Each structure stands twice: as structure tokens, then as C-alpha cells.
Amino acid sequence: MGEVVATIKLMPKSPEIDINKTKEKVERSIPDDAELYKIEEEPIAFGLVALKVMVIVGDAEGGTEKVEENLSNIEEVSNIEVVDIRRLI
Amino acid sequence: MAKEKEHMNLAFIGHVDHGKSTLVGHLLLQSGIIAEQQLAKGEDKFRFVMDKLQEERERGVTIDLAHARFDTPKYEFTIVDCPGHRDFVKNMITGASQADAAVLVVAADDGVMPQTKEHVFLARTLGIGQLIISINKLDLVKYDEEKFNQLKEDVSALIKTVGYDPSKIDFIPMSAFVGDNITKASENTPWYKGPVFTQSLDKLSAPEKPTDLPLRVPVQDVYSITGVGTVPVGRVETGIMKRGDEVIFEPPGVGGEVKSIEMHHEMLEMAEPGDNIGFNVRGVGKNDIRRGDVAGHTDTPPTVAKEFTAQIVVLQHPGAITVGYTPVFHCHTAQVACTFMELQKKMDPATGEVKEENPDFLKTGDAAVVKLKPTKPMVIERIKDIPHMGRFAIRDMAQTVAAGMCIDLVPAK
């Protein structure tokens, strides 16, 4: 089946959100069949900081759907975008 | 000091069992990216390294490898091994990682498969203009030149259908497993006189940033920031935005002067394709614009389509697509339901020949030209005008049912 590493960018609701709290929520939002690799901060503009979440999922039905759904539901997150996907060797 | 090499993103596409990963692995091994282990000579070394990587499951190592760079004499490449499952197509179309060239891997013992066709169509939809064809697993057909030539013909017919010119594309006989024709000419294919894989990579043209095209910045999100005002955030797809420019957001049609642009929390005088920016426009309020709107210059505004004609390929649909079907189209940052108004032509995906005019329905595997009507105003551009803004994924029932590109449109105004 193979595995895919996806980089998902999370935009915050505002520049004032607690980024560490958001990161904790990200950690708790990863479904069982996916694996969190790391979370990086990406400064955007005017105080806004995005989170780049790298997760590993199977190269299989559903893709990143469940992960995307869970991350979208985090209160501090405005919207998400899968910015990169690639298979692992 | 030597001039820095230009960088290219190289996508590996093709059927999931046709040896893409093996080719990527062998390429990294021969480029010295994967360290050679202390082992006996021959191809077992390669197998050992691959097995070891898979056994260890050292995340850091495998993930770094997935983002590894390797050099040819001319370029520095990053490899993107594309996922095989269709459910990732949506991400490939709307995602940011744009491939500059693609390697299509086709196994000699298996030939052109449905996934080969889909990936060729997707490569074209994604705007990848340069291809290299790896006819792989030639060891399994005893390095038979006839087999190679036959498959070369089949793949040529296929890629012609979406507008690639086979006479300008290298077809390389390979065995990724054995390592034939990757960095040096193989003794197993004495009949082959063309370039080996890494030579073919150096024949690619360097990518150019689409700075000459009209400015297009799809809005990803809109913020109201104290002391600044309304800040739309998005990635510049094409063109250049400068401070002081007059811009307009479509479909709402509101606009004004760009007061400030920031990226990575730094002020910019101008932003170019690929930049993820936040910017502030005089006179535009938070409720005037939303995700899915597109900013462009006032004299070359983004096109709002009343109707558009598209070439699509149906990737997976449990039933049949008929006139009246209204799934959600994911196009840049917009998500808009569009209605199928006419099914104009059904094509043979392998040859591009029209199989049927005005078909009654479309099903999985069909390629077609269709006419669509957005249920609300939507920005989309002809693929030949602004390729970055002309492609879309069609989603329904939590699946990517089809992918396509806009070939013509009727502007709303």
C-alpha cells in the first residue's frame, strides 16, 4: 500500500490565539490510523502564525480526509490546506 | 565560486506497481543520497538498502529521503513520488507543490493501465509541460526491443491525446531494480542509443516563474487585524503585486489600493508567484471579501464565469454522471457547486478520438468535454490563459469523482 507524508497548513482564527494550546489540540486530533511527525510554525503576516503539520497516512482510500476533518474542527483554526503530499520510499 | 544550480521539482507518476519507488530509491542510491552500506557488490546492495529502510521505519530518515535533493551536472532536483490512490488527487490539484517536470513510469510487463492514463491526464491538468517516460521492468521481458518499441507507441498515442508531443520526449528503457540506464548506459540494452535517465533530466528546461501572466491571488482567508485593518491572506499564483497597485477582488467586484504587503512578518515592496502573503487594501472591509475570491489588477481583473466548458476525466463514480448533476468543484481556494449542463463529447482516453457525441451519461474512466454552470459566481480562467487558475477537482460523497481543466468560458460580465 505504501505511505504518504502530507504537510497540512493550518491558518489561525486570529493573531491572538494561543499557539501552544493549538498545537496540543493538533496532537490530540490525529486519528488512530495516522501518525503525527512534526508541527512547525510559519509566520505569515501582521502577527498571523500558521502551523505546518506533517502527518503520515496510508496511500489508500480516504487519503488525508479524516485528518483534514479533525484539524478543521479545532476551535482556533480558521481553515486548512494540504500544501504538499508525497509517498515515502 | 560556482553559480548555484537551478532547482526543479520532479514528480514521479504512473501506476503504483510499476516501480516508481524502486526508481526513486535507486536514483537516490546512485546519487549518493542513500548511503551505501557495507555489503557485497551487485544489485543485492540496493535491495538491502531498501529492505533496511523499510524495516527500520526510522521516520526521520524516510521522511528526509522523501524530501531529498540530488544533483545532476545542470540542476538540483527534489523528487515528489506521487501517491497512487485517487483520494489524493484533490490535494495534488489544489496544493501548492508544483512539479516542473514529471517522470511517467510504465512497466514493460504490464503496459498502459487505467492509472497510467489518469496520471497522464492529471500531469497535463497540473500544468506539467515536460515529461520523461521510463519504460521500466525491462528485465522482466528479457530486454526485448520489440516490447519496448510497442509500449513506446502505446504511450505516445496516450500522451498525444492531452497535447504532449512524443517526438520531443525521451523514452528510456530501464530496469529500476537492476539499475539499467539510470546514470550509465546498460549493457543489457545495446540496441538503445538515446540518453540515460540522468542525461535526460539535464535536457529539461528550467522553470520560469509566471510573472508575465496577470496577477492572481486566490484568497485563502480574511482577517481583521487591530491597527492594520482588513488583511486577506493567500498565495500569489501568477503575476506581481506591488505596493500602491490598484487591485480588485472578484466575484464581489470590490477593490482599492494595496497599502501594505507582508510575508514571514516582513514588509514587502512586491510579491511574486509562490509567495504566501497577507496584504491590506484601502477601502475593502472584512465582510466585503471571503475565501475563494480572487485578487487581480483592476485593468486585468479575474474572470467570473457564467458558464464554462471543461475537459474532465471521471476518476471514480459509483453510478453515472448525467445532465443536471451538481457536485462541488474545488478550484484554487473556491468551492462552488456546478451543474452539468451538456455532455458534449466522450473521448477514448487512450487515443483522444471522439467516441460519442452528446453521450447520455459518463462513468468511471471516461474522458469528456462538458459544459458547466456554477450555482453562484465563481472565478475560473481558461487553462491556456492562466493554467494555475483553470484546473479543478470535482468532489462528491467525500470522494474526488473527477478532475479537469477549463478550456473555454462565457464571462459573467
Side-chain angles (χ1 to χ4, degrees), chain B residues 22-160:
Chain B
T22 311
L23 177 54
V24 170
H26 220 140
L27 194 59
L28 295 179
L29 179 69
Q30 293 201 1
S31 321
I33 307 292
I34 296 178
E36 297 215 7
Q37 310 291 325
Q38 315 292 328
L39 242 207
K41 295 180 206 93
E43 56 265 29
D44 286 336
K45 192 192 290 177
F46 172 61
R47 181 175 234 172
F48 174 81
V49 172
M50 294 296 281
D51 285 353
K52 196 161 160 43
L53 273 174
Q54 273 160 13
E55 264 169 38
E56 281 181 352
R57 302 227 161 241
E58 271 237 22
R59 282 310 189 195
V61 176
T62 47
I63 288 166
D64 287 350
L65 272 181
H67 296 85
R69 293 171 173 215
F70 75 95
D71 284 20
T72 58
K74 201 168 156 194
Y75 296 118
E76 178 193 67
F77 286 96
T78 304
I79 290 175
V80 179
D81 187 1
C82 293
H85 202 280
R86 285 161 176 163
D87 285 355
F88 292 95
V89 167
K90 166 192 74 140
N91 308 130
M92 287 156 73
I93 287 181
T94 54
S97 50
Q98 177 65 50
D100 303 305
V103 177
L104 174 67
V105 182
V106 188
D109 63 327
D110 208 16
V112 171
M113 300 301 284
Q115 203 169 31
T116 316
K117 295 177 193 169
E118 279 171 26
H119 280 193
V120 166
F121 182 85
L122 287 171
R124 182 45 103 186
T125 308
L126 292 167
I128 302 172
Q130 308 187 79
L131 272 188
I132 295 172
I133 315 287
S134 161
I135 306 287
N136 195 23
K137 301 197 186 184
L138 226 63
D139 53 325
L140 298 185
V141 296
K142 301 191 174 68
Y143 298 99
D144 182 356
E145 186 181 4
E146 284 297 302
K147 271 260 190 245
F148 170 77
N149 285 335
Q150 180 56 50
L151 199 47
K152 184 177 169 180
E153 251 175 60
D154 294 349
V155 176
S156 294
L158 170 68
I159 61 177
K160 242 193 240 172

Side-chain angles (χ1 to χ4, degrees), chain B residues 189-204:
Chain B
T189 54
W191 42 266
Y192 176 68
K193 306 294 177 214
V196 299
F197 189 68
T198 48
Q199 287 171 335
S200 188
L201 291 176
D202 265 353
K203 287 167 65 187
L204 297 168

Side-chain angles (χ1 to χ4, degrees), chain B residues 305-312 329 331 336 338-339 341-342 344 370-374 378 380-381 390 392 404-410:
Chain B
K306 188 166 81 177
E307 289 176 354
F308 62 99
T309 309
Q311 189 177 338
I312 64 165
F329 282 55
C331 181
V336 177
C338 299
T339 304
M341 305 298 288
E342 280 175 33
Q344 296 180 336
V370 297
K371 194 188 239 181
L372 300 149
K373 189 175 179 61
M378 167 187 177
I380 189 167
E381 309 280 355
F392 53 81
M405 49 191 158
C406 168
I407 52 178
D408 203 4
L409 58 81
V410 181

Side-chain angles (χ1 to χ4, degrees), chain A residues 3 9 11-13 35 37 43-46 48 56 59 61-65 68 78-79 83-84 86-87, chain B residues 57 59-60 63 66 79 81-82 84-85 87 90-91 96-97 220-221 223 262-265 276 291 395:
Chain A
E3 289 177 314
K9 188 162 144 181
M11 291 300 291
K13 279 253 166 75
E35 179 188 330
Y37 177 59
I44 304 290
F46 305 107
L48 293 162
I56 298 149
D59 188 356
E61 196 176 333
T64 51
E65 204 60 38
E68 285 182 64
S78 161
N79 73 67
V83 290
D84 188 275
R86 54 188 73 207
R87 274 172 68 92
Chain B
R57 302 227 161 241
R59 282 310 189 195
I63 288 166
I79 290 175
D81 187 1
C82 293
H85 202 280
D87 285 355
K90 166 192 74 140
N91 308 130
S97 50
Q220 198 189 345
D221 215 335
Y223 296 91
E262 279 201 10
M263 180 168 71
H264 299 306
H265 290 165
N276 284 297
R291 179 181 170 87
R395 303 264 304 163

